Amino acid sequence: MSFAARTLEQTLVYRAWETPFVQQKFAPILAHNSIGRVRPVLDVACGLGTNTKYFNGADYLGIDFNERFIRGARRRHGRKFLTADARTYVASPEDRFDFILVSSFLHDLDTKDMLAILSHLKSLLTEDGHIHMLELVLPKKPGIARLLARWNRGKFVRPRDEWRRLFDQLFVPVVFQPYRITGMGTSLWEIVDFKGKQ
Ligand SMILES: C[S@@+](CC[C@H](N)C(=O)[O-])C[C@H]1O[C@@H](n2cnc3c(N)ncnc32)[C@H](O)[C@@H]1O
């Protein structure tokens, strides 16, 4: 495990780092969806359940393989959370989701694992359901921004076109929108928002 990953494992550090950017990161999802109307929601690699608040009216399930995060999420949000590795997670046969959220997770996975997980998630969508993915873009040019992206998010951060190509392999695209997260008066990261259906 990299130094960055070990640091992110520390719950408090993780919260302090993520909190200022959560609203910005989630804004495109709020803009493109009537989020108050979604029915069952699956939040894959939910971390501390920071995104739970957007789904107050929905039947929500968050999964993450970090038991400490899941305990913290249950305590804080009182919703349904399950400790599970997304690589081996199999939903109950009757479980189908209207809204599957995969936020800031796929950069942890090599392409084989990522496509296997996404194929399984596709099979869990309701007929008119959508998957929503938010992922960090690897800057094209070598430099500080690229180093920071790798340091912050591990070795599978991908360029924008590669995210697009991989997502399009499995889903019919509805939205593909790159956008920027800003802070301290500057542009910090580029994120892609992908919404797809079966
Ligand atoms: C950067 S956090 C993102 C948390 C949340 N989705 C968000 O948007 O704030 C990445 C999360 O992925 C989880 N994770 C990494 N590999 C996983 C796996 N194989 N199965 C389930 N969770 C995993 C980590 O424990 C961590 O909580």
Side-chain angles (χ1 to χ4, degrees):
M1 188 186 278
S2 69
F3 171 74
R6 277 202 308 277
T7 306
L8 280 177
E9 282 250 297
Q10 306 304 312
T11 311
L12 287 172
V13 174
Y14 174 67
R15 274 182 73 199
W17 173 240
E18 292 282 309
T19 302
F21 307 113
V22 169
Q23 295 282 94
Q24 276 192 65
K25 195 170 76 169
F26 216 78
I29 292 205
L30 296 177
H32 295 138
N33 302 282
S34 305
I35 208 158
R37 281 204 233 129
V38 292
R39 298 176 313 260
V41 174
L42 176 64
D43 187 355
V44 180
C46 61
L48 294 165
T50 321
N51 299 320
T52 315
K53 60 176 178 288
Y54 299 110
F55 303 104
N56 279 336
D59 180 12
Y60 170 97
L61 170 65
I63 69 163
D64 199 286
F65 74 171
N66 185 320
E67 193 149 4
R68 201 144 42 93
F69 284 180
I70 289 294
R71 276 202 305 270
R74 278 196 197 116
R75 220 177 21 249
R76 197 163 300 114
H77 304 291
R79 307 288 295 267
K80 228 187 316 166
F81 290 98
L82 181 71
T83 305
D85 188 326
R87 287 167 297 193
T88 49
Y89 168 70
V90 179
S92 313
E94 69 276 9
D95 279 348
R96 287 294 171 274
F97 299 93
D98 198 30
F99 192 110
I100 297 182
L101 175 65
V102 187
S103 164
S104 301
F105 166 48
L106 301 174
H107 57 259
D108 278 338
L109 302 168
D110 64 28
T111 299
K112 187 166 164 272
D113 279 350
M114 172 179 140
L115 292 176
I117 290 173
L118 292 181
S119 299
H120 178 55
L121 295 179
K122 184 177 175 179
S123 74
L124 301 182
L125 281 172
T126 55
E127 213 172 298
D128 56 351
H130 292 93
I131 189 161
H132 303 259
M133 297 188 268
L134 298 177
E135 273 303 332
L136 180 64
V137 170
L138 184 68
K140 271 194 182 139
K141 290 194 206 134
I144 295 287
R146 199 170 150 122
L147 278 176
L148 278 177
R150 284 229 158 94
W151 179 83
N152 181 30
R153 286 292 181 247
K155 58 182 174 171
F156 298 111
V157 180
R158 296 166 170 95
R160 189 199 303 167
D161 296 348
E162 196 177 336
W163 285 127
R164 175 83 209 227
R165 187 179 60 76
L166 292 166
F167 296 159
D168 283 3
Q169 274 184 39
L170 287 167
F171 299 99
V172 177
V174 177
V175 171
F176 183 85
Q177 184 190 350
Y179 62 103
R180 292 204 161 265
I181 301 282
T182 56
M184 295 168 278
T186 186
S187 163
L188 295 172
W189 301 287
E190 184 182 2
I191 308 274
V192 286
D193 166 29
F194 179 89
K195 174 178 179 180
K197 57 184 184 179
Q198 301 185 51

